[in-house]
Amino acid sequence: MIRFLFIGMLVGSALALGIGWAQTSLPALEVLPGVLAALWLVAVLRGFSWASSVGFSLMVLLSAVGLSKGMLLPCALVGVVASLVAWDLFAFGQRLRYAASDDYPVRLELQHLAQLGVVVALGLVLAWISSTVRLAFKFEWQVVMALIALGGLSTLIGWLRRNGE
Amino acid sequence: MNRSLLVGLLAFFLVFVGLLLIGAGWLVLSIPLVVYLLEGLLRGPEKVVLEAERTLSQERTNPGVPVIVTLRVTNHGPTLEQLILSDPLPAFLDVVEGSPSRMMTLRHGETLTWHYTVQGRRGYHAFRALSAIASDRLGVFTRRLSIPTSGQLLILPPVPRLRNLVIRPRVTRVYAGAIPAQQGGPGVEFFGVRDYQPGDPPRWINWRASAHHERTLFSNEYQQERVADVGIVLDARRRVNEFRGGRSLFEHSVLATASLADAFLDQGNRVGLMVYGQFINWLAPDYGKLQRERLLQALARAQPGESQAFSGLVVPPRLFPAMSQIVLVSPLLDDDVSVLLRLCAGGYSLIVVSPNPVQYEKNLLPASPAATLAARILHVQREVTLQRLRHAGVRVVDWDVECPLENLVESALSHPPAFLRAILQGGGRK
């Protein structure tokens, strides 16, 4: 099940970004997400597990660059979320190899999918809210919020580097 | 790169560029990533306190015998949403039932007990730690740790029984044994005739010889049989033992060593062992069942190795009592002959049991005229090497490992037939 979902998410991500790129000022690049997804799939099937992280990063970059070239936000958002889910499912599939039959792998899969579904849904809802709700802030406030966001993320990354794995 | 860091960097990049370009879309794209990351951070394990205990159904066993490994892991810390436990196993062990790894949620205070069954080939493994990876359910934030456990598994080499091995060291020890000592005294085999001495049993008197001399009695003497010192040298040099495709003659050498050691100890001899590979592993000579156990354990641990210092064969004579019996188990290289000849010249009696590497490698190769020709040339070279040793008085057993060791060794090293014994012992008669 995880493998089919992984492939489905890859296809979904490539389709959303392909459609998105077709509407940009560079429509010739609409095949690029498809090619990237195919390479990602082939690489992980051949056992290069690191290729999953590379493919995910490139998909996110492709979405972000597409936005600056006129891609519709929903396409970019679906592309990023689908590739995030594909990347997550691949890693979960790798971890699931450790499960014994006594661990009920199907139950583990369902638990994981439920958790992932909640996270993805929350992310999409927040993204939708942030793209529709417009609030006007004074420039000073915008600067303060930007600094807080960057500072918070920097601290988080620093902490992850120190404590992760 | 770990997963949380990757997502964090991507989110940071999107936020940073979004702020730089004042592009709201970039900021929106970062939101699912930030939510994913925060989920991991909020639900990830803060502290992992695990305790593991391992028991094995047996710690000393034979090849192919199933051993049940039972693991008991207790979580003394907070609940771990996803815990992956993995028991690393060496290559010589195969899992035949169950799984050495688990993936589950382990609540605070909960204990997980599970079993798996392994069986394997010769070897020794110390189970030092259980590998654990604790994370949130999505595996974003992980902590890896090793949980110390104890336990060891020793799989002893198989020991085919060898009977009636005969060795003839120049020096024997004082205790009675099975090796003819070239000295007259109590025994079984006739050795010679001497003057009667008070205390000689009447059945020792040689009446036929006594009848030829007036007032003089003669007694028969028998060959004393004693025990001897035997040093076994196992050649564990990788370049001698290993061949293409990960195939190795070493297991055959170990089997031969175990069989010979067992047979010599059974005869009451004092047996020592030197394993020669990456380093020299020396087990001092001793008698009996305890020594048999020590030898088998040393052989279970023996691994082929390579060292520049020991690339050529070295048999330090000081490790072996002077003029004792040395048995070398080695596929043998041409360069090794000079070392063995020096040992012979030093008074040691030498037996070489040599698993045939040429035949072994030939069996691994697909049949072709080139392979056959190469094998013939190498056979001739090897035969020349072995002949040099035989001419120096070394007893050589050239062992094609496809054949059972017992048959070959017994025909080459066993007790000779009676007529041959009579010829061999002719020099001892007076």
Side-chain angles (χ1 to χ4, degrees):
Chain A
M1 180 163 68
I2 293 294
R3 178 173 284 196
F4 292 123
L5 274 173
F6 164 69
I7 294 171
M9 284 297 146
L10 266 188
V11 172
S13 175
L15 274 177
L17 291 180
I19 292 167
W21 271 98
Q23 295 159 348
T24 62
S25 55
L26 295 167
L29 293 181
E30 65 181 339
V31 293
L32 199 55
V35 172
L36 194 58
L39 286 176
W40 179 351
L41 182 62
V42 170
V44 296
L45 287 179
R46 291 180 73 91
F48 304 112
S49 51
W50 52 266
S52 182
S53 293
V54 174
F56 169 53
S57 307
L58 291 176
M59 283 295 204
V60 171
L61 286 180
L62 212 56
S63 312
V65 174
L67 272 182
S68 59
K69 298 291 176 192
M71 185 189 287
L72 290 174
L73 182 61
C75 289
L77 198 58
V78 170
V80 166
V81 169
S83 58
L84 173 69
V85 173
W87 174 73
D88 176 274
L89 289 178
F90 175 74
F92 177 67
Q94 299 279 90
R95 294 200 299 280
L96 200 61
R97 289 184 303 183
Y98 289 100
S101 56
D102 291 348
D103 298 325
Y104 304 106
V106 175
R107 194 177 69 188
L108 289 173
E109 283 179 7
L110 292 176
Q111 285 173 343
H112 182 87
L113 290 176
Q115 184 88 23
L116 186 62
V118 170
V119 170
V120 166
L122 188 64
L124 282 173
V125 167
L126 286 176
W128 175 74
I129 290 171
S130 62
S131 61
T132 50
V133 175
R134 299 275 176 229
L135 294 174
F137 289 105
K138 284 186 179 175
F139 180 70
E140 297 86 350
W141 280 109
Q142 290 182 13
V143 170
V144 168
M145 283 192 290
L147 287 175
I148 288 171
L150 285 176
L153 271 175
S154 304
T155 312
L156 187 62
I157 288 169
W159 186 81
L160 286 173
R161 286 189 62 187
R162 284 193 303 277
N163 295 288
E165 301 212 20
Chain B
M1 182 185 288
N2 71 53
R3 303 182 71 231
S4 52
L5 194 59
L6 177 69
V7 178
L9 286 174
L10 285 172
F12 182 84
F13 170 76
L14 290 172
V15 170
F16 184 76
V17 178
L19 289 172
L20 211 64
L21 301 176
I22 317 177
W26 288 64
L27 295 176
V28 172
L29 281 189
S30 72
I31 289 173
L33 302 184
V34 172
V35 171
Y36 185 85
L37 190 61
L38 288 177
E39 191 278 343
L41 287 176
L42 291 175
R43 301 177 72 104
E46 287 175 20
K47 194 174 156 191
V48 185
V49 188
L50 294 169
E51 187 187 35
E53 188 186 320
R54 182 200 312 277
T55 48
L56 284 87
S57 61
Q58 44 191 330
E59 293 195 338
R60 176 190 177 281
T61 184
N62 294 315
V65 176
V67 176
I68 301 168
V69 182
T70 303
L71 281 154
R72 197 179 149 85
V73 180
T74 307
N75 181 10
H76 296 299
T79 297
L80 301 171
E81 280 198 346
Q82 192 172 86
L83 177 65
I84 295 173
L85 295 167
S86 168
D87 200 9
L89 293 175
F92 72 88
L93 288 178
D94 298 320
V95 178
V96 289
E97 197 182 330
S99 168
S101 62
R102 296 292 300 266
M103 177 178 175
M104 85 302 288
T105 300
L106 200 62
R107 291 183 181 78
H108 168 68
E110 194 180 351
T111 297
L112 169 80
T113 305
W114 92 94
H115 319 271
Y116 64 91
T117 307
V118 291
Q119 67 180 33
R121 299 172 292 283
R122 177 196 67 86
Y124 169 78
H125 181 56
F127 293 91
R128 292 208 169 84
L130 189 66
S131 161
I133 305 172
S135 68
D136 56 290
R137 208 177 288 288
L138 296 184
V140 179
F141 186 72
T142 57
R143 283 185 188 276
R144 290 174 186 270
L145 67 154
S146 289
I147 316 167
T149 60
S150 58
Q152 59 176 356
L153 180 59
L154 193 70
I155 301 184
L156 302 175
V159 187
R161 284 270 166 193
L162 301 177
R163 285 168 302 176
N164 305 326
L165 289 190
V166 173
I167 51 173
R168 299 214 178 263
R170 295 190 184 176
V171 172
T172 52
R173 295 181 70 77
V174 292
Y175 305 112
I179 299 165
Q182 302 293 333
Q183 282 182 8
V188 178
E189 298 277 344
F190 178 78
F191 184 73
V193 178
R194 60 166 168 73
D195 287 344
Y196 174 83
Q197 289 172 358
D200 281 351
R203 63 186 175 86
W204 279 21
I205 296 172
N206 189 325
W207 295 108
R208 188 186 292 265
S210 302
H212 288 104
H213 299 83
E214 253 182 67
R215 293 186 179 189
T216 310
L217 286 176
F218 292 96
S219 293
N220 286 336
E221 263 192 328
Y222 299 91
Q223 175 138 260
Q224 288 193 34
E225 292 182 336
R226 292 181 176 173
V227 295
D229 284 320
V230 182
I232 303 181
V233 181
L234 170 62
D235 186 353
R237 287 174 296 168
R238 186 165 281 148
R239 70 188 180 113
V240 181
N241 285 286
E242 295 196 345
F243 300 90
R244 48 184 265 163
R247 305 293 291 270
S248 172
L249 267 178
F250 189 64
E251 290 306 317
H252 300 283
S253 297
V254 170
L255 179 138
T257 309
S259 300
L260 289 165
D262 182 59
F264 291 134
L265 281 171
D266 267 359
Q267 291 176 354
N269 298 307
R270 208 168 71 135
V271 181
L273 173 71
M274 186 179 98
V275 182
Y276 176 87
Q278 194 174 6
F279 46 84
I280 290 179
N281 184 12
W282 167 240
L283 189 65
D286 211 338
Y287 302 97
K289 287 182 180 174
L290 197 61
Q291 179 71 350
R292 181 182 188 274
E293 183 63 26
R294 283 194 211 108
L295 282 165
L296 289 179
Q297 291 200 8
L299 288 173
R301 288 183 170 91
Q303 292 297 328
E306 199 64 79
S307 163
Q308 283 196 340
F310 302 132
S311 58
L313 186 68
V314 179
V315 182
R318 63 192 160 79
L319 294 182
F320 302 98
M323 301 198 173
S324 62
Q325 177 73 54
I326 293 180
V327 181
L328 172 69
V329 181
S330 166
L332 220 56
L333 295 175
D334 290 346
D335 308 341
D336 302 336
V337 173
S338 55
V339 178
L340 301 178
L341 295 181
R342 271 203 301 277
L343 281 174
C344 284
Y348 290 97
S349 298
L350 199 57
I351 294 174
V352 174
V353 177
S354 180
N356 191 323
V358 180
Q359 191 62 39
Y360 182 72
E361 196 165 17
K362 187 187 168 197
N363 293 342
L364 296 180
L365 293 171
S368 70
T372 310
L373 182 62
R376 282 180 64 189
I377 293 168
L378 290 170
H379 267 305
V380 170
Q381 277 185 352
R382 180 173 163 80
E383 197 48 45
V384 169
T385 305
L386 299 185
Q387 278 302 335
R388 281 179 67 197
L389 288 173
R390 287 186 182 115
H391 286 156
V394 178
R395 295 163 79 188
V396 179
V397 180
D398 186 13
W399 177 28
D400 176 1
V401 295
E402 297 287 317
C403 305
L405 175 73
E406 303 90 297
N407 300 349
L408 195 67
V409 168
E410 280 173 19
S411 66
L413 302 177
S414 65
H415 211 255
F419 75 93
L420 198 56
R421 279 207 316 274
I423 295 169
L424 287 171
Q425 289 171 357
R429 291 183 184 180
K430 286 181 182 172

